[in-house]
Amino acid sequence: MFDAFKNKHGLGVACFIGFAVFFWALFLIALPQIAMLDYSFRFNLPRADIGGPSDVYTLENYAYFFRGNDGGFNALDVGILFKTLVAAVFVTIIDIMICYPIAYILAHSATGVAARLMVIGLIVPFWVNEILRAFAFRILFGATGMINGIGMEIGLWDTPIDFIRADIALYSGLTYAYILLMVFPIFNAVEALDRNQIEAARDMGASWWRVHWRVVLPIAKPGIASGATMVFMLTAGALAAPQILGGPSNLWFTQLIYQWFNESANWQRGSAYAVILLLVCIGFVTMMMRVFKVSIGEIGR
């Protein structure tokens, strides 16, 4: 593969790309993960004791996730992890429902100026920083925000609804935050579909939903799987949006990790929690790939 790339683009470009990929994979992914994994098996010791006889490997940080301080089942932390995963699945499903028709229209219906305006409309809002977008959603869904203002103005409700406490603002913000990561993988997959197949199905009397179920979705499945994987992983690992938009009773698992690292200064336990989140997310995604019969090669296509 390297030889083919070198013949097409030249030795200099091939070497630069190869070095960049190697540097990115080793120094920005592999080594930090290895360091975090090593930290997760260590005790939280004073600086003077690090490297001494008490600095040994242990499973204490992982055991704490399951049994807590009192030795019983740590229902709080396990429950927060489960709730985070359920919320990530919910956000992913909502993104699929929103982005599939957008991607289909963009690939097979919109043309010329309309297509360009749709792409610009999708991309330009993401020029704004993610934290600023989260605060914008907090203002939008606040007690004196636009949603409550319009709802009370037209008589849908009499008093402001606490969208923050109900986590509606959080789910809306997360759904919007990763919408591009769902739209474009589905668009790339659907764009390859021959329009004649759709027309043939319609000529044979297939209904609208049957055309999509039997013709479009099998082609779009790898794109949906790719987008769903990215949205799920990023939603489960989100921190800024839960911090800004989350209600007081809704704690995200990443907030637990943040607390261990920054508030408790226990990097070892924070690393263990981060590894647990990573492994659970990878295991869940792998299981879903088997359920929907999608290979890693199709996702990376």
Side-chain angles (χ1 to χ4, degrees):
M1 187 171 67
F2 179 80
D3 291 336
F5 189 88
K6 180 186 70 174
N7 294 333
K8 184 176 181 180
H9 299 281
L11 180 61
V13 173
C15 290
F16 173 77
I17 296 297
F19 174 77
V21 171
F22 173 79
F23 180 87
W24 174 72
L26 180 63
F27 291 99
L28 301 182
I29 298 179
L31 291 182
Q33 297 295 331
I34 292 172
M36 186 174 67
L37 184 64
D38 179 73
Y39 260 64
S40 70
F41 290 105
R42 301 281 187 175
F43 286 106
N44 184 27
L45 300 173
R47 184 178 295 272
D49 294 337
I50 295 177
S54 10
D55 189 9
V56 295
Y57 287 107
T58 178
L59 293 174
E60 173 63 26
N61 296 311
Y62 292 94
Y64 180 90
F65 171 74
F66 294 102
R67 61 173 174 76
N69 282 321
D70 56 3
F73 181 65
N74 189 359
L76 177 62
D77 290 359
V78 175
I80 291 173
L81 175 59
F82 178 77
K83 188 166 63 173
T84 300
L85 296 177
V86 171
V89 171
F90 178 75
V91 170
T92 303
I93 292 173
I94 296 299
D95 262 341
I96 292 173
M97 294 172 62
I98 294 174
C99 295
Y100 174 77
I102 294 175
Y104 178 80
I105 292 171
L106 190 60
H108 288 282
S109 298
T111 57
V113 176
R116 288 193 290 271
L117 287 176
M118 284 187 67
V119 173
I120 291 173
L122 287 169
I123 294 176
V124 168
F126 287 85
W127 291 359
V128 180
N129 182 272
E130 180 183 357
I131 296 177
L132 295 180
R133 293 200 307 270
F135 276 111
F137 269 85
R138 188 174 183 89
I139 295 172
L140 184 68
F141 285 95
T144 58
M146 183 186 300
I147 303 296
N148 269 311
I150 294 175
M152 290 188 292
E153 184 69 25
I154 63 178
L156 292 179
W157 52 82
D158 298 325
T159 58
I161 297 175
D162 194 346
F163 292 110
I164 304 297
R165 186 177 294 274
D167 292 325
I168 294 175
L170 174 59
Y171 292 148
S172 300
L174 288 170
T175 298
Y176 180 75
Y178 307 119
I179 199 168
L180 287 184
L181 299 177
M182 185 69 74
V183 167
F184 288 115
I186 299 177
F187 168 78
N188 288 334
V190 174
E191 191 182 28
L193 177 64
D194 187 355
R195 189 172 182 82
N196 291 327
Q197 293 178 272
I198 300 175
E199 296 299 332
R202 287 177 175 171
D203 291 341
M204 295 177 66
S207 60
W208 179 87
W209 71 268
R210 193 169 183 82
V211 168
H212 282 271
W213 182 256
R214 299 296 297 272
V215 179
V216 182
L217 277 176
I219 301 298
K221 188 167 69 169
I224 293 173
S226 177
T229 299
M230 291 187 288
V231 170
F232 173 81
M233 296 293 281
L234 290 173
T235 302
L239 178 61
Q243 288 274 56
I244 298 169
L245 296 173
S249 61
N250 184 20
L251 193 63
W252 219 253
F253 195 74
T254 48
Q255 292 174 281
L256 282 182
I257 297 173
Y258 177 86
Q259 289 173 4
W260 283 120
F261 272 101
N262 292 279
E263 296 177 13
S264 302
N266 192 335
W267 285 37
Q268 290 75 15
R269 190 153 293 164
S271 297
Y273 274 50
V275 171
I276 289 170
L277 177 62
L278 176 63
L279 293 178
V280 170
C281 287
I282 291 176
F284 183 82
V285 169
T286 303
M287 181 182 67
M288 288 297 100
M289 287 169 56
R290 287 183 174 273
V291 169
F292 292 102
K293 299 178 181 179
V294 179
S295 66
I296 189 67
E298 289 178 307
I299 292 178
R301 187 176 301 167

